[in-house]
Amino acid sequence: AAAALRKALATQAAILGEASQAACATLANLTLACREKGDYANAVPFGRRAVAVAAKLFDGPHPLRAACLNNLGLLHTEAGRPEQALPLLERAATLVEKNLGAQHPRMATALSTVAGTLEDLGRRDEALPRLIRAVDIRVRHFGDAHPATANARVNAVRVPP
């Protein structure tokens, strides 16, 4: 998949320039393709390029910009660099909130992701309120018996107060 995406990126860059929405989406997909293979050496540069292109393309809170920030943040988390991941994930969460609203289910996911990184940094006192908010959002949208709500509750209880 990565080889085909690299070829697509080269074509898009030649025709549209790298600072196009299509190229940005392809960079984001290349980031994910490399991440899935555990190829962080290539995934991180693609992720950085995607974030930079998205910032140029979208002045405000665009979903692709949030996705690029989130992808790069997750890469840093998986590579054992939570201190680099946290600001990216927090910016992504802010964009999700501006795009979709404070009570959207994707906001719950963004909150849980930030909370997990805070836990990795040993900042459990900051993680817990985000996890509780994620539970509240999921209860409101999915109800008490939904698997997403149950998972959010498990995440919140495993963080000691």
Side-chain angles (χ1 to χ4, degrees), residues 5-159:
L5 287 167
R6 286 175 199 255
K7 190 172 184 176
L9 179 62
T11 302
Q12 291 164 340
I15 296 170
L16 305 169
E18 190 171 290
S20 69
Q21 189 166 344
C24 185
T26 301
L27 282 166
N29 288 330
L30 262 166
T31 303
L32 294 175
C34 291
R35 175 182 167 216
E36 287 174 13
K37 293 188 324 185
D39 181 7
Y40 297 109
N42 284 310
V44 170
F46 284 132
R48 286 185 182 138
R49 283 172 59 194
V51 167
V53 171
K56 286 179 190 174
L57 287 173
F58 311 112
D59 188 32
H62 192 277
L64 184 54
R65 188 173 179 197
C68 292
L69 287 163
N70 189 68
N71 291 347
L72 185 56
L74 290 174
L75 280 172
H76 285 303
T77 297
E78 291 171 7
R81 297 186 298 268
E83 66 287 340
Q84 292 178 25
L86 185 61
L88 296 164
L89 296 171
E90 287 177 327
R91 283 176 35 214
T94 298
L95 293 176
V96 168
E97 187 167 14
K98 288 180 181 178
N99 277 316
L100 302 171
Q103 299 304 316
H104 194 278
R106 285 192 190 155
M107 189 65 212
T109 302
L111 288 165
S112 295
T113 303
V114 169
T117 303
L118 286 166
E119 287 180 71
D120 291 345
L121 291 166
R123 294 163 56 182
R124 289 173 174 76
D125 56 325
E126 295 174 61
L128 188 57
R130 287 167 175 82
L131 292 170
I132 291 169
R133 186 170 161 212
V135 170
D136 291 342
I137 293 168
R138 289 193 168 118
V139 166
R140 187 172 296 116
H141 281 275
F142 303 123
D144 281 328
H146 194 276
T149 304
N151 186 49
R153 281 200 172 103
V154 167
N155 287 338
V157 236
R158 69 180 171 80
V159 176

